[in-house]
Amino acid sequence: MKITDARVVVSSPGRNYVTLVLETSDGVVGVGDATLNGRELAVASYLRDHVCPLLIGRDPARIEDTWQYLYKGAYWRRGPVGMTAIAAVDVALWDVKGKVAGLPVYELLGGASRSGVMVYGHADGHDVPELLDRFAEYLEQGYKAVRIQAAVPGVAKTYGVSVHDGRIYEPANSDRPEEGSWESSAYLDFAPTVFEAVRERFGFGVHLLHDVHHRLTPIEAARLGRALEPYRPFWIEDATPAEDQSAFRTIRAHTTTPLAVGEVLNSIWDVQTLITERLIDYVRMSVSHSGGISHLRKVYALAELFGVRSGAHGAGDLSPIAHAAALHLDLAIPNFGIQEYMGHRDPAGEVFRSTYSFADGYMHPGDVPGIGVEFDEAAAARFPYEPRYLPVNRRLDGSMHDW
Ligand code: EZ4
Ligand code: CO
């Protein structure tokens, strides 16, 4: 069998998605997600101009060899654009392999290690009462774990407070990035009161998660971790900018609050120190942005050796193909922790027909052969790409800060 066609489709059914479609000489079609929010066309070009021509004529069964060919063959290694492009090829090849074998991908990865994958949803609020109302809705739906974010008083446009229906945090802005604002001192005083309010109302029988979104210094993060200890968070995420692995030594020395990091990281080298020094508890890298199933499962295998568990990024800007791929891996690995699940806004469901399911706080990828998501190209054509930036962030004095 040979790969006979490789094409990239950029569409916007509810938000932008980049999708790679591979066709084979046997008529089997595989799909992969190549979406890099706010930089979609860079990955589309990387694939169209540099990767797709190399795929034609290759044997789709040789997944690892293709991975090594694209990674080592680029010479310019790692980075979000290249690793997202390789991920799309990798997932599409696993999809093909599953369809050829007649098995769901998780069976090819060693089979299920659990009956379902615990997911967490996002509860947010412009103030604490609104957050509590949204939190109650998640409990009613059966969620066992919920992320809590609330707008910091005096800090306009705090990250994590949705502008639409809970599935998108970036205001639509095609002209230039929206400007958010930030002040760590106000946030550090406010965040523990949010946890306190949620525990007071809902008790300790549900997991609470929180995303700091790269905004603190190491010692500020240590202070936050310590202040939250009485409320027993499942984790605090991205407490400091993720590229500085050594920052976690400081945080770790001061708090027992579990730490998660990695949604902006792309390779096993980005988390080598974090894992081998046991500086984190959960690794947040995603299938889509980290070289696909083939690479992320190596990250998880390394993490397993050091008692670190998975906690993959699962925002709505990763397509349903990415979410399905994540669920297959989550179901199979021994050291699964939790999976983020924001869901997707309509009309994404018209373009991506998924077979994964949610019940009582757990998800399952389904049992159809391959990844289990059908991509409807004719439907995608009805929703053309819409240029859109992620926001930038400024402190109250106007200086740039991590978003
Ligand atoms: O800001 O995916 O944990 N989830 C997150 C997301 C990210 C977006 C960026 O595209 O941090 O909301
Ligand atoms: Co995050």
Side-chain angles (χ1 to χ4, degrees):
M1 207 192 332
K2 296 209 178 320
I3 298 171
T4 52
D5 191 28
R7 53 184 184 274
V8 179
V9 180
V10 185
S11 63
S12 191
R15 64 180 311 149
N16 289 320
Y17 296 111
V18 181
T19 307
L20 176 70
V21 182
L22 297 185
E23 275 181 26
T24 68
S25 50
D26 286 17
V28 180
V29 175
V31 291
D33 178 38
T35 310
L36 188 61
N37 196 10
R39 292 292 185 273
E40 295 87 355
L41 299 188
V43 186
S45 162
Y46 191 105
L47 283 166
R48 279 179 183 142
D49 298 329
H50 306 291
V51 172
C52 290
L54 304 177
L55 298 177
I56 308 304
R58 289 187 71 84
D59 179 354
R62 297 181 62 175
I63 301 178
E64 182 66 27
D65 182 62
T66 300
W67 197 97
Q68 299 290 338
Y69 181 71
L70 295 176
Y71 180 81
K72 293 180 173 154
Y75 186 66
W76 313 108
R77 294 177 180 202
R78 309 190 295 154
V81 175
M83 292 300 272
T84 301
I86 295 175
V89 176
D90 185 78
V91 170
L93 292 178
W94 279 104
D95 191 24
V96 169
K97 196 177 273 299
K99 286 170 178 166
V100 169
L103 292 170
V105 167
Y106 75 83
E107 292 289 6
L108 304 178
L109 298 172
S113 288
R114 55 193 52 76
S115 53
V117 167
M118 184 169 72
V119 296
Y120 71 93
H122 288 197
D124 62 348
H126 294 90
D127 52 27
V128 172
E130 189 185 23
L131 166 67
L132 296 177
D133 288 348
R134 298 245 31 223
F135 194 96
E137 291 167 20
Y138 279 97
L139 290 186
E140 273 163 34
Q141 291 170 51
Y143 279 86
K144 306 287 180 270
V146 184
R147 188 182 97 156
I148 54 173
Q149 310 285 142
V152 180
V155 180
K157 298 177 189 161
T158 311
Y159 162 80
V161 180
S162 57
V163 288
H164 288 291
D165 53 6
R167 296 194 169 89
I168 194 163
Y169 297 120
E170 318 88 270
N173 197 343
S174 59
D175 179 32
R176 60 195 59 239
E178 176 87 14
E179 305 222 337
S181 52
W182 186 252
E183 205 53 56
S184 293
S185 54
Y187 165 75
L188 284 166
D189 288 340
F190 177 65
T193 68
V194 177
F195 271 80
E196 186 183 18
V198 174
R199 285 300 189 210
E200 202 177 279
R201 167 97 174 262
F202 299 103
F204 282 79
V206 54
H207 296 300
L208 302 185
L209 298 86
H210 180 66
D211 192 348
V212 188
H213 225 261
H214 319 277
R215 287 171 186 208
L216 299 177
T217 65
I219 204 67
E220 287 171 345
R223 180 182 144 200
L224 176 68
R226 210 177 251 194
L228 296 182
E229 280 170 21
Y231 312 111
R232 298 206 291 275
F234 187 92
W235 74 33
I236 55 172
E237 170 187 345
D238 292 343
T240 53
E243 59 267 45
D244 182 2
Q245 296 188 51
S246 66
F248 283 80
R249 295 192 187 113
T250 302
I251 310 171
R252 200 59 152 175
H254 292 286
T255 181
T256 57
T257 289
L259 304 172
V261 75
E263 71 186 36
V264 300
L265 304 179
N266 318 111
S267 84
I268 198 164
W269 308 105
D270 301 333
V271 289
Q272 183 183 21
T273 303
L274 293 173
I275 291 172
T276 59
E277 291 189 22
R278 305 175 197 272
L279 300 179
I280 56 170
D281 301 279
Y282 299 93
V283 59
R284 294 266 304 142
M285 292 161 66
S286 67
V287 166
S288 274
H289 297 154
S290 310
I293 289 170
S294 298
H295 192 63
L296 191 54
R297 74 171 171 157
K298 293 178 187 176
V299 173
Y300 290 157
L302 177 68
E304 184 191 353
L305 290 180
F306 294 93
V308 175
R309 290 188 283 170
S310 73
H313 187 211
D317 46 276
L318 303 168
S319 89
I321 298 169
H323 191 65
L327 293 176
H328 285 282
L329 199 45
D330 293 338
L331 199 68
I333 58 169
N335 55 327
F336 170 75
I338 200 166
Q339 170 68 48
E340 186 178 29
Y341 179 52
M342 262 177 96
H344 298 90
R345 302 167 73 205
D346 286 334
E350 290 176 34
V351 174
F352 301 95
R353 295 201 196 93
S354 54
T355 52
Y356 50 72
S357 56
F358 172 92
D360 207 26
Y362 291 83
M363 294 192 81
H364 192 282
D367 282 306
V368 305
I371 288 291
V373 180
E374 213 182 293
F375 177 60
D376 184 334
E377 281 187 72
R382 296 203 303 270
F383 305 103
Y385 168 68
E386 294 173 13
R388 185 176 283 179
Y389 284 97
L390 279 169
V392 297
N393 204 18
R394 292 187 191 278
R395 296 186 61 186
L396 296 185
D397 71 359
S399 56
M400 294 299 303
H401 194 72
D402 303 79
W403 178 65

